[in-house]
Amino acid sequence: MKSEYDFSGAFLSDGVHEDCLKKDSRKIADAFSHVIDNMGKGWQEWCNLPYCSENELDEIIKYGKKVAEKTEYLVVFGIGGSALGTIAVANALNHLHHNELARDKRQKPKLYVEDNIDPERMASLFDVIDLETAHFNVITKSGSTSETLSQFMIVIKRLRDALGDDFKSHITVTTTIGKGSLYRAASEMGLKTFGIGEGVGGRFSVLSAVGLVPFAILGYDIKALLKGARTVTEASKNPSPNENPALKAAYLMTEYLKQGKNISVIMPYSDKLKYTADFYCQLWGESLGKALNWSGEKVNCGQTPVKALGVTDQHSQVQLYTEGPFDKIFTFIGVKNFDNDVGIPSCSALRDYDFLSGHTLGELLNCERKATQLAVSDSGKPSFTILLDKVDEENLGELLYFFMYETAFAGAFLGINTFDQPGVEFGKKATFAMLNRPGYEGILENLTKKH
Ligand code: PA5
């Protein structure tokens, strides 16, 4: 593994201790087999994505370059799993003020990932982009999400009005081939379409065409992203939790959940990794928040994911984390080497702060991460730390796939279906019913009767 996984803060004498790994070896083996035996099957097709063929990747890279040449504004329309991976990776790999940079410094299109349908946001988007040099990647796995389809309908009209028949070259669609309304519409209109594997769920799709197409347009090294994801995939095949950090993390998280740690705080100490926390929150929340277990018994389980940013949230949340209730487990994420570290010079008028000079902001940030981890440990709360060597494609591929395997193993420990989202689907159908979509008439009446 490229990253370091430090579990020293996770074992507590009055919580889960090292001996538990031995005592629970049967349970760990069962959860391990549940995930590993299903790799590549059913809803675990995402396990195969890191092994995508060079030819397929080269096709995507070629397409990305072609689009990038004529694009100043790349707009991604999608929501949930169709957006959060792209946001996490793009924020990590782009300059932090990417869209504000002049073209010669930026050397790639500006990026707008529109994962909401707030009309103000849509109106504002059209105020800052120029349709002639804009490219829209419309992404929906199901091809039937109202939010994304309404964005698609709006942009088609705008493009047609502005560019006539040329509108087609400004849109790329990513959806399940042969299924859903978007696939049908895109085929009818002759739009360039990329497919998402049937067994790749939204929140597990970042390294399918969902993420790879925008990443290729933005010129990222998609092969390195996949290489990082392969590293975790291989490590996750090791039955020993001490050699398999995702398995070990999942075991700890679910054991602590049983002991009342209902909240999982994820806290990257890196602005570039800020949105990997959002990616994690969706995975953890939507995958593990389930009413029923494998036997159909009501369990209403889940662990509420909470994101925090170091050091910003030290001055907002850490008081609660240290002295507040014993209901949390923490995942800290650190970065060893920053691409652009900034030295702290001395300042003669600030002599009593001379201890800072000669250090860098990166050193201070890491020092504060360790200090917060110590404070959390000292207050009797469990935590573990993931330390990336640097923020690049390979490390990111590893981090995102680590979260995915951690989630898959956690679901197996909890004995629930990790890969469905009936609660989300119900909301989508209720929206159809409210807007009088034929075929969805009964839904609201049934709901009213139930309550
Ligand atoms: O993880 C999931 O399955 C969901 O969060 C979906 O990604 C989200 O609801 C969007 O669905 P779709 O990509 O089908 O539009």
Side-chain angles (χ1 to χ4, degrees):
M1 301 279 267
K2 262 191 108 69
S3 299
E4 289 167 26
Y5 298 83
D6 178 3
F7 290 98
S8 54
F11 294 98
L12 302 176
S13 52
D14 61 345
V16 182
H17 37 92
E18 298 261 10
D19 292 349
C20 297
L21 287 173
K22 223 187 250 158
K23 179 178 67 64
D24 285 333
S25 58
R26 183 70 263 151
K27 182 161 67 179
I28 295 172
D30 287 348
F32 169 80
S33 305
H34 186 81
V35 174
I36 299 310
D37 293 352
N38 287 306
M39 277 175 115
K41 299 182 198 155
W43 284 105
Q44 276 186 233
E45 208 181 306
W46 55 272
C47 301
N48 290 344
L49 297 174
Y51 302 90
C52 179
S53 77
E54 289 278 314
N55 278 353
E56 230 176 292
L57 293 175
D58 288 338
E59 278 300 304
I60 295 177
I61 293 168
K62 199 166 130 203
Y63 182 75
K65 279 193 183 138
K66 201 177 90 190
V67 171
E69 271 165 25
K70 57 178 183 89
T71 301
E72 176 63 3
Y73 306 93
L74 173 63
V75 180
V76 173
F77 285 140
I79 198 161
S82 291
L84 287 166
T86 302
I87 295 172
V89 172
N91 186 73
L93 297 180
N94 281 351
H95 186 283
L96 283 171
H97 297 291
H98 178 78
N99 283 0
E100 291 152 58
L101 283 180
R103 175 83 206 195
D104 59 330
K105 282 202 179 157
R106 190 171 13 96
Q107 289 184 338
K108 43 186 82 153
K110 291 184 181 180
L111 175 68
Y112 301 86
V113 184
E114 300 301 304
D115 64 343
N116 201 357
I117 44 161
D118 183 327
E120 296 283 3
R121 182 158 162 186
M122 187 61 120
S124 304
L125 174 74
F126 286 111
D127 283 341
V128 295
I129 66 171
D130 165 23
L131 289 176
E132 293 228 359
T133 55
H135 194 89
F136 298 86
N137 188 185
V138 183
I139 308 175
T140 157
K141 151 89 186 163
S142 60
S144 63
T145 302
S146 298
E147 292 91 328
T148 312
L149 294 190
S150 61
Q151 291 172 319
F152 176 77
M153 290 156 91
I154 291 167
V155 85
I156 290 284
K157 163 108 177 74
R158 296 250 181 173
L159 282 173
R160 267 198 171 126
D161 288 353
L163 310 172
D165 249 8
D166 187 36
F167 82 95
K168 291 180 190 171
S169 64
H170 290 256
I171 300 194
T172 304
V173 163
T174 308
T175 192
T176 308
I177 302 294
K179 282 204 170 153
S181 305
L182 185 61
Y183 177 75
R184 194 188 29 72
S187 314
E188 233 171 80
M189 285 192 259
L191 303 177
K192 173 73 183 172
T193 302
F194 285 91
I196 309 168
E198 288 261 2
V200 179
R203 55 195 177 275
F204 292 86
S205 68
V206 58
L207 295 188
S208 69
V210 166
L212 295 184
V213 170
F215 299 157
I217 298 174
L218 291 161
Y220 306 152
D221 184 349
I222 59 173
K223 292 185 181 175
L225 270 162
L226 264 56
K227 186 174 175 212
R230 271 199 305 276
T231 305
V232 191
T233 307
E234 292 305 319
S236 296
K237 292 179 192 164
N238 194 320
S240 161
N242 286 325
E243 307 297 326
N244 181 340
L247 180 62
K248 192 172 189 171
Y251 168 74
L252 286 162
M253 299 296 276
T254 50
E255 281 304 294
Y256 276 115
L257 175 61
K258 275 197 246 150
Q259 296 182 13
K261 312 271 184 243
N262 294 315
I263 299 173
S264 161
V265 177
I266 179 119
M267 192 163 186
Y269 273 70
S270 154
D271 273 58
K272 290 206 155 214
L273 298 180
K274 182 174 176 179
Y275 294 99
T276 62
D278 292 60
F279 177 85
Y280 168 85
C281 286
Q282 189 213 10
L283 259 181
W284 205 248
E286 212 166 283
S287 303
L288 306 183
K290 297 290 153 68
L292 306 177
N293 66 11
W294 290 333
S295 319
E297 291 151 358
K298 243 198 172 11
V299 285
N300 293 108
C301 73
Q303 190 177 42
T304 304
V306 167
K307 57 184 176 168
L309 179 68
V311 298
T312 308
D313 286 310
Q314 282 180 200
H315 302 271
S316 151
Q317 300 300 309
V318 167
Q319 173 60 30
L320 168 73
Y321 295 166
T322 51
E323 296 200 355
F326 290 80
D327 57 357
K328 301 176 189 66
I329 176 162
F330 298 84
T331 305
F332 293 105
I333 306 175
V335 176
K336 270 202 238 171
N337 301 298
F338 294 89
D339 277 344
N340 300 290
D341 209 344
V342 178
I344 307 172
S346 64
C347 171
S348 55
L350 206 58
R351 278 176 302 281
D352 48 342
Y353 272 74
D354 218 30
F355 69 91
L356 288 178
S357 83
H359 292 288
T360 65
L361 286 182
E363 283 171 358
L364 181 59
L365 186 65
N366 273 325
C367 188
E368 296 205 28
R369 171 179 52 76
K370 286 181 205 154
T372 303
Q373 195 275 324
L374 275 179
V376 161
S377 273
D378 190 54
S379 66
K381 320 264 162 62
S383 68
F384 73 94
T385 299
I386 305 170
L387 195 54
L388 275 69
D389 174 40
K390 61 193 296 236
V391 177
D392 65 5
E393 283 90 338
E394 196 176 336
N395 280 280
L396 271 173
E398 181 175 318
L399 182 66
L400 300 185
Y401 257 61
F402 169 81
F403 289 149
M404 285 156 63
Y405 275 101
E406 183 191 15
T407 305
F409 286 129
F413 278 115
L414 295 173
I416 47 101
N417 184 343
T418 312
F419 304 107
D420 67 355
Q421 53 285 321
V424 180
E425 306 302 341
F426 181 81
K428 290 183 182 182
K429 287 181 192 142
T431 306
F432 291 154
M434 283 179 199
L435 293 169
N436 301 319
R437 182 176 182 183
Y440 292 84
E441 294 85 1
I443 290 180
L444 295 178
E445 286 77 355
N446 285 344
L447 191 65
T448 332
K449 263 189 236 149
K450 238 168 107 182
H451 300 281

